[in-house]
């Protein structure tokens, strides 16, 4: 038998550090190091395929160039609009579905299973399937609309700026709705039955119930869900790239598509990293909001 | 306890043995990897596998592993590979990539034998495989462009731009649900070559002899305006923004378009006679603008600068590009003869489809050679898409030329 070692006793205050050490090491290698490296790259001029231009440290020059270009602000606005459209759609439809599913209806489990399909579909697979739905010549959407006589001629959904913008957002909604619906459903079910019953007794209409009881009680859940969804949507690359590659022209070029194009199309690592850092900062702000919303929820 | 310790050590030994490098001793066959884009098409894969097998039988000391991703991702995969030190030894890729790969010192110049082999090819192809005077590639695939048209709908293929519009309109009037013509406008390399055909025919240039950008010349603008008008004014093509050239043969096969411009591989993507009763077709010279011209695109074989087996890599290239193998390869793939001598093979003279492509070689203009291709492609595609969206051709080309200058892409 081994003798117990006395030399390595630790105070309860200090010992957690050692327990956390493996994870901390792992996180610093897998997360902190790449971020630091991208940050460093963003201070350099470095185009991999253009060694003739040289690799130099340029300080904040990339950021200055970026913030001075009108194109960047256009992309920024576009990203905000696209994210807003998609998150709004996801929240509204998600809430509607959750509200329907919270009722006592037949076939509830079946509907729940159906709802989960978009969630378990890999993003790129879904995007490619939707590409065919939107196709101008062979697309299902055109077929349905012409059969219903809502459209007289085929429309190329991904070939026009506005329709491509909306169509990519709709695909993104389709993928994001199940998550929202599930969160909202959980939120709805946590509303105390007594409150709703007493509202009924007081003669509240269902709209009043929704506006005065359900929504206020759901506020923390809604806040958490939309913020989380906004973070994911802002970074949504797997939907836009297979559908349009940021086109037509640049109608669906969001910041993350732009960062990808710069880094892996032109191999302009400096500028690509700069955009990546900008995205990082924006998402940090979102995360902050999320964190606050979550904390407040726990207080409840 | 003892037994568990024994088990543990056995497992450990087995695991460690699994980690040991195997067959790295000097006398095993030299392993090289061959990167060939676009082998997701089974016929292509089969052909390359057969070629490699034949080679391995004749050269038992060399072991070739085939690697492939789609054409769309190839450039990216290669550049990342070079940077990670994991590049394939022998690379099949667009000749348009040679300039940046050579500048990155990612590929190595060929030896004296390589120079000798390169001399077997037509002059424009030799030029495309050189960078700063040194040979970096052996041409492998090569294509000119023709107009492919429905013989049941069109009696005489159009010979000028005006006729092209007329014929296309006539087809649309006479037949429901079909477009007269099809062009590409998606974000894809083919959108540049599709447009450049008209640019060259109109006497335009992308870069002049000194390497200055000439994309915003009146000739180039007129050509782009015509290209965009096919969609906007004449409405004889389906919305080009949705399609790249590789999708045109499919639209054609499905009876959605009556004419399109493509390279010889289009035949593999459509049905061949006599299986194409519904959409019979023929190839014809392009309808000409100011003069006859078309863009010649070539692919080349290159050797990575990181390879550990440069001799084996060269032996492989030498074998697959030997006049006999190359002729066989071109006949099987239905492409056009690559080496000057090959054109004498009766196949290329007798096949009425291939013959038209061979004829177009004489009117060929090489693809422009910017310092780096991909950003150039992005700029030009953007300009084409903006024109298709209704913006003035002069304006978008001015912007494009300014971008090319700003990113220092001019081949000076």
């Amino acid at each position: 038998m081994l003798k117990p070692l006395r030399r390595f006793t630790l105070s309860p205050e200090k010992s957690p550090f050692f327990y956390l050490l493996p994870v901390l090491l792992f996180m610093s290698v897998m997360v902190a190091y790449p971020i630091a490296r991208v940050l460093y790259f963003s201070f350099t001029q470095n185009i991999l395929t253009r060694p003739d231009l040289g690799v130099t440290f340029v300080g904040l020059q990339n950021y200055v160039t970026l913030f001075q270009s009108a194109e960047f602000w256009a992309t920024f606005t576009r990203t905000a609009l696209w994210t807003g459209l998609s998150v709004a759609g996801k929240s509204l439809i998600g809430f509607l579905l959750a509200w329907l599913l919270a009722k006592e209806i037949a076939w509830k489990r079946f509907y729940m299973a159906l709802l989960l399909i978009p969630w378990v579909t890999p993003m790129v697979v879904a995007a490619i399937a939707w590409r065919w739905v939107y196709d101008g010549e062979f697309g299902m959407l055109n077929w349905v609309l012409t059969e219903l006589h809502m459209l007289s001629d085929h429309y190329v959904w991904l070939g026009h700026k506005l329709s491509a913008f909306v169509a990519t957002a709709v695909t993104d909604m389709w993928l994001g709705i199940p998550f929202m619906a599930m969160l909202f459903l959980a939120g709805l079910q946590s509303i105390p039955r007594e409150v709703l019953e007493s509202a009924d007794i007081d003669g509240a209409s269902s709209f009043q119930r929704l506006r005065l009881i359900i929504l206020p009680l759901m506020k923390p859940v809604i806040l958490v869900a939309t913020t989380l969804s906004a973070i994911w949507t802002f970074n949504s690359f797997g939907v836009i790239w297979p559908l349009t590659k940021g086109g037509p022209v640049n109608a669906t070029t969001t910041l993350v598509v732009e960062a990808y194009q710069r880094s892996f199309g032109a191999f302009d690592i400096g500028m690509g990293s700069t955009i990546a850092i900008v995205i990082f900062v924006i998402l940090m702000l979102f995360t902050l909001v999320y964190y606050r919303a979550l904390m407040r929820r726990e207080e409840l | 306890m003892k037994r568990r310790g024994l088990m543990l050590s056995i497992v450990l030994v087995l695991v460690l043995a699994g980690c040991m490098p195997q067959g790295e001793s000097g006398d095993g066959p030299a392993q090289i990897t061959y990167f060939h884009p676009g082998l997701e098409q089974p016929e292509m894969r089969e052909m390359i596998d057969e070629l490699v097998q034949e080679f391995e039988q004749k050269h038992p000391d060399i072991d070739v592993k085939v690697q492939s991703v789609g054409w769309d991702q190839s450039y990216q995969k290669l550049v990342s590979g070079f940077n990670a030190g994991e590049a394939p030894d022998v690379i099949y890729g667009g000749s348009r990539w040679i300039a940046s790969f050579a500048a990155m010192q990612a590929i190595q110049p060929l030896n004296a034998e390589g120079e000798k082999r390169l001399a077997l090819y037509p002059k424009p192809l030799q030029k495309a495989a050189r960078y700063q005077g040194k040979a970096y590639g052996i041409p492998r695939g090569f294509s000119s462009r023709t107009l492919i048209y429905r013989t049941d709908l069109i009696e005489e293929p159009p010979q000028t731009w005006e006729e092209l519009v007329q014929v296309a309109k006539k087809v649309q009037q006479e037949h429901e649900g079909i477009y007269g013509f099809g062009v590409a406008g998606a974000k894809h390399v083919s959108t540049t070559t599709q447009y450049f055909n008209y640019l060259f025919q109109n006497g335009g240039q992308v870069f002049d002899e000194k390497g200055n950008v000439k994309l915003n010349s009146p000739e180039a603008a007129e050509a782009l305006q015509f290209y965009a008008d096919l969609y906007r004014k004449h409405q004889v093509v389906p919305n080009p923004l949705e399609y790249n050239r590789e999708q045109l043969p499919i639209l054609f096969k499905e009876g959605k378009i009556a004419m399109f411009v493509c390279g010889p591989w289009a035949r593999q993507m459509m049905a061949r006679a006599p299986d194409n009763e519904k959409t019979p077709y023929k190839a014809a010279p392009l309808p000409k603008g100011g003069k006859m011209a078309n863009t010649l695109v070539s692919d080349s074989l290159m050797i990575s600068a990181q390879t550990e087996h440069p001799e084996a890599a060269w032996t492989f290239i030498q074998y697959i590009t030997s006049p006999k193998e190359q002729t066989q390869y071109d006949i099987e793939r239905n492409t056009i003869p690559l080496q000057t001598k090959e054109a004498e093979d009766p196949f290329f003279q007798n096949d009425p489809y291939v013959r038209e492509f061979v004829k177009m070689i004489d009117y060929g203009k090489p693809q422009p050679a910017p310092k780096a291709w991909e950003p150039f492609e992005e700029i030009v595609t953007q300009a084409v898409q903006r024109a298709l969206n209704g913006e003035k051709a002069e304006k978008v080309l001015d912007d494009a030329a300014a971008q090319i200058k700003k990113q220092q892409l001019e081949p000076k």
Side-chain angles (χ1 to χ4, degrees), chain B residues 150-167:
Chain B
R150 282 275 290 270
T151 42
D152 57 335
L153 305 180
I154 297 164
E155 274 170 34
E156 274 296 311
Q159 297 190 347
T160 61
W161 288 7
E162 292 77 40
E163 282 183 34
L164 174 68
V165 175
Q166 281 165 14
V167 170

Side-chain angles (χ1 to χ4, degrees), chain B residues 53-312:
Chain B
Q53 261 172 24
E54 261 172 52
F55 170 78
E56 283 176 340
Q57 270 168 15
K58 295 206 172 116
H59 296 267
D61 52 328
I62 302 173
D63 199 11
V64 183
K65 251 177 70 186
V66 181
Q67 251 184 26
S68 179
V69 298
W71 269 104
D72 285 1
Q73 297 99 42
S74 289
Y75 179 81
Q76 190 190 331
K77 164 116 179 153
L78 287 169
V79 175
S80 325
F82 294 142
N83 280 288
E86 283 171 2
D89 302 287
V90 179
I91 298 154
Y92 178 106
S95 303
R96 57 185 179 275
W97 298 340
I98 287 182
S100 45
F101 286 179
M104 287 165 73
Q105 299 185 331
I107 53 175
Q108 50 180 285
L110 300 177
N111 55 20
E113 271 181 275
E115 291 277 355
K116 227 162 73 190
R117 177 55 57 88
L118 189 58
L120 298 178
Y121 297 83
K123 283 267 150 52
L125 290 191
Q126 292 192 27
K127 201 176 155 227
R130 281 176 193 283
Y131 176 75
Q132 296 183 341
K134 281 188 206 150
Y136 276 90
I138 297 290
R140 177 62 164 163
F142 163 51
S143 58
S144 55
R145 302 284 181 267
T146 66
L147 179 81
I148 293 169
Y149 67 99
R150 282 275 290 270
T151 42
D152 57 335
L153 305 180
I154 297 164
E155 274 170 34
E156 274 296 311
Q159 297 190 347
T160 61
W161 288 7
E162 292 77 40
E163 282 183 34
L164 174 68
V165 175
Q166 281 165 14
V167 170
K169 280 188 173 161
K170 190 161 164 262
V171 171
Q172 283 181 202
Q173 274 161 15
E174 290 170 0
H175 304 273
E176 183 98 353
I178 185 166
Y179 282 97
F181 190 44
V183 294
K187 294 204 171 187
H188 189 264
V189 53
S190 58
T191 296
T192 63
T193 47
Q194 287 254 312
Y195 159 51
F196 289 159
N197 286 335
Y198 298 92
L199 181 146
F200 291 137
Q201 292 193 349
N202 209 24
Q205 277 180 312
V206 180
F207 299 112
D208 66 10
E209 291 72 27
K210 286 180 188 149
N212 297 307
V213 62
K214 289 283 172 230
L215 196 57
N216 50 350
S217 65
E219 293 85 13
E222 205 185 349
L224 183 57
Q225 199 58 56
F226 176 74
Y227 195 75
D229 280 348
L230 288 172
Y231 169 58
R232 298 198 67 83
K233 193 167 141 201
H234 306 304
Q235 300 180 350
V236 291
V237 297
N239 187 331
L241 291 167
E242 197 180 26
Y243 298 109
N244 67 46
R245 182 196 58 216
E246 300 304 290
Q247 289 156 327
L248 297 180
I250 298 164
L251 287 178
F252 185 86
K253 188 172 84 178
E254 297 295 329
K256 302 276 185 191
I257 56 176
M259 294 183 279
F260 69 104
V261 172
C262 193
W265 60 86
R267 179 150 79 174
Q268 278 148 298
M269 304 172 77
M270 304 180 293
R272 266 183 212 209
D275 302 328
N276 59 352
E277 288 158 0
K278 278 190 192 153
T279 57
Y281 58 85
K282 268 187 187 161
L286 293 186
K288 64 177 182 189
K291 58 180 180 181
M292 181 55 100
N294 73 131
T295 323
L296 293 186
V297 176
S298 74
D299 297 330
S300 292
L301 292 163
M302 311 158 222
I303 300 179
S304 158
Q306 295 166 0
T307 179
E308 285 170 20
H309 306 287
E311 295 85 17

